[in-house]
Amino acid sequence: MTALGHLINGARVDREGRTQDLYNPSTGEVKGQVSLAAKATVEEAIAAAQAAFPAWRNTPPAKRARVMFRFKQLLEEHTDEIVRLIGEEHGKISHDAGGELARGIENIEYACGAPELLKGEHSKNTGPGIDSWSEHQPLGVVAGITPFNFPAMVPLWMYPMAIACGNTFVLKPSERDPTSALFIAELALEAGLPAGVLNVVNGDKEAVDTLLDDDRIQAVSFVGSTPIAEYIYSRASANGKRCQALGGAKNHAIVMPDADMENVVNSLTGAAFGSSGERCMALSVAVAVGDEAADNLVAKMQESMTSLKVGPFSDKSNDFGPVITQAHREKVCGYIASAEEQGATLLVDGRDIQVEGYERGFYVGGTLIDNVTPEMTCYREEIFGPVLLVMRVDSMEEAMRLIDEHEYGNGTCIYTRDGEAARYFSDHILVGMVGVNVPLPVPVSYHSFGGWKRSLFGDLSAYGPDAVRFYTRRKTVTQRWPSAGVREGAQFSFPS
Ligand code: NAD
């Protein structure tokens, strides 16, 4: 079986060299291999993008947007196939994979508005007979490096807008589940992108480092874990590139004593365990205010968790599937063990789950841990598995202090019926995306997505209006056409 190759200058390209196994996490079996691009292959992709840039930059924005309209249609026509490709390599259940794709398509819809979004600002008569305008020019070749957990959606956060703004693009998807990203990119070409405008290289650190060091790459968008985000941001910035690097998370939900506990439990169950907790917006910590609320919460959570259905991606009736690899399964189980060792109370233990007929799949069942305290490893670090921690505090101030002191600041939520408390919380909390009785406050495509603190390195968030700012640079032109016959002498003072 040939390893999954690359998409360079409009064509699928296979190269001899290093490969990595691709797994079906639902069964635990190897399903194929992916090529890991050598430096020369990545340079070929960059060269193709560089060559395609002048013509693409000069293509009218409305024509570029028309390609996006066709791209959206093609994705909708191929939804079932894409959902299957995501499920086979990631393991998420088809309804969840469908949701991911739909959110990705919303970013294409936003990119369809590029002609409107790229309109500049114009001022007439900024001086006698002088007009001035600011315009947004594309940067050139930009790169995107993406994580395993949203193999279809996160690339679509990046290149539709980058390309609609007139840039050309090199995407490096996760080497753990690259097939859907490559398939989707081929649909973008089918929609009418000229060769070289969008290129995909599969690979690992060697490919990433090539993108970070090559002078032809003007900007880098990254989404992944915090240590790698920090590395990407430092290296890209040191090389003079614009960079946005989105990292990991630890998202807290404050459960106030007045919250509607039935709704809280339903909402938390989906937000903590959906996609096996492998979401950067997963709610992984419930902070209950007062012991009464905490006792009520854990009792109802335990009851709700008895009906969780875990199994292969292909069975729509499952709530969530496996985690991404055996190594990650062991890591998640290690966090659960450490919580118990460090004194937390393990109420529901998902480590020994057996899925009939899929005994070698990488499953972890829903896990609930009570009495977690701030110094515990399971609290300090991102687990990225179906594990919900419960912490007990005496006041909302204490809950907010916990959140503010955590190194991550991606998402958070407060469950309450008290408008004043909710307003204070959303105004003051040191987190980038806040929900009030909304567990996963992932912004829609016409707002931007980004955390605070060590969840985002850089100044601009992903997609939405910030994407237009990130993928363009401002140029301001001041213009005068002197009337025929009018002559002016030299002026030595600063023009005012
Ligand atoms: P990861 O950091 O391991 O990998 C992300 C990308 O970086 C991949 O393309 C990978 O090939 C590359 N990479 C990995 N190690 C590298 C190295 N040493 N040098 C250069 N490149 C390297 O992340 P992951 O495990 O694929 O994804 C899960 C993580 O992503 C979680 O931490 C999750 O919170 C985070 N995430 C964040 C957001 C967000 O918007 N903030 C969204 C999705 C996922």
Side-chain angles (χ1 to χ4, degrees), residues 25-263:
S26 298
T27 62
E29 285 159 3
V30 173
K31 68 172 280 280
Q33 278 81 35
V34 59
S35 289
L36 301 175
K39 189 168 190 266
T41 306
V42 181
E43 286 175 345
E44 209 178 309
I46 298 170
Q50 176 91 336
F53 177 62
W56 186 245
R57 172 197 195 278
N58 286 333
T59 302
K63 279 196 174 174
R64 300 197 296 246
R66 252 170 242 147
V67 179
M68 292 298 145
F69 276 108
R70 282 194 294 276
F71 183 30
K72 166 186 151 67
Q73 274 173 340
L74 284 174
L75 289 185
E76 284 165 350
E77 285 164 20
H78 289 84
T79 292
D80 290 347
E81 205 169 347
I82 296 166
V83 161
R84 181 179 55 78
L85 294 176
I86 296 172
E88 276 173 4
E89 284 178 2
H90 178 284
K92 65 176 76 173
I93 311 300
S94 51
H95 47 78
D96 190 27
E100 154 172 8
L101 181 61
R103 291 303 291 256
I105 291 173
E106 286 174 16
N107 293 108
I108 304 173
E109 289 167 354
Y110 186 71
C112 289
E116 171 69 23
L117 297 166
L118 290 172
K119 278 196 314 205
E121 298 150 352
H122 186 92
S123 300
K124 201 176 165 89
N125 284 334
T126 53
I130 297 177
D131 302 327
S132 206
W133 70 89
S134 296
E135 58 189 44
H136 308 289
Q137 296 203 341
L139 305 174
V141 184
V142 300
I145 301 155
T146 54
F148 82 83
N149 67 321
F150 284 105
M153 180 183 77
V154 173
L156 294 175
W157 283 3
M158 299 176 181
Y159 67 77
M161 200 64 228
I163 285 173
C165 287
N167 301 283
T168 55
F169 206 91
V170 181
L171 172 70
K172 206 301 287 171
S174 170
E175 64 275 41
R176 286 185 270 181
D177 51 7
T179 305
S180 58
L182 194 67
F183 181 80
I184 290 172
E186 284 181 316
L187 292 179
L189 297 191
E190 192 181 324
L193 284 185
V197 170
L198 173 62
N199 306 274
V200 182
V201 286
N202 282 308
D204 56 5
K205 184 170 169 52
E206 182 174 347
V208 172
D209 287 349
T210 306
L211 292 169
L212 297 177
D213 291 344
D214 195 292
D215 285 344
R216 292 167 292 182
I217 300 285
Q218 302 298 318
V220 177
S221 294
F222 172 87
V223 176
S225 60
T226 286
I228 308 298
E230 190 168 26
Y231 164 75
I232 301 276
Y233 185 76
S234 316
R235 190 153 170 171
S237 306
N239 286 329
K241 300 183 195 314
R242 185 177 288 189
C243 185
Q244 55 179 184
L246 283 71
K250 196 80 178 175
N251 305 313
H252 301 65
I254 299 185
V255 182
M256 296 290 279
D258 67 348
D260 175 335
M261 204 55 85
E262 299 291 333
N263 277 341

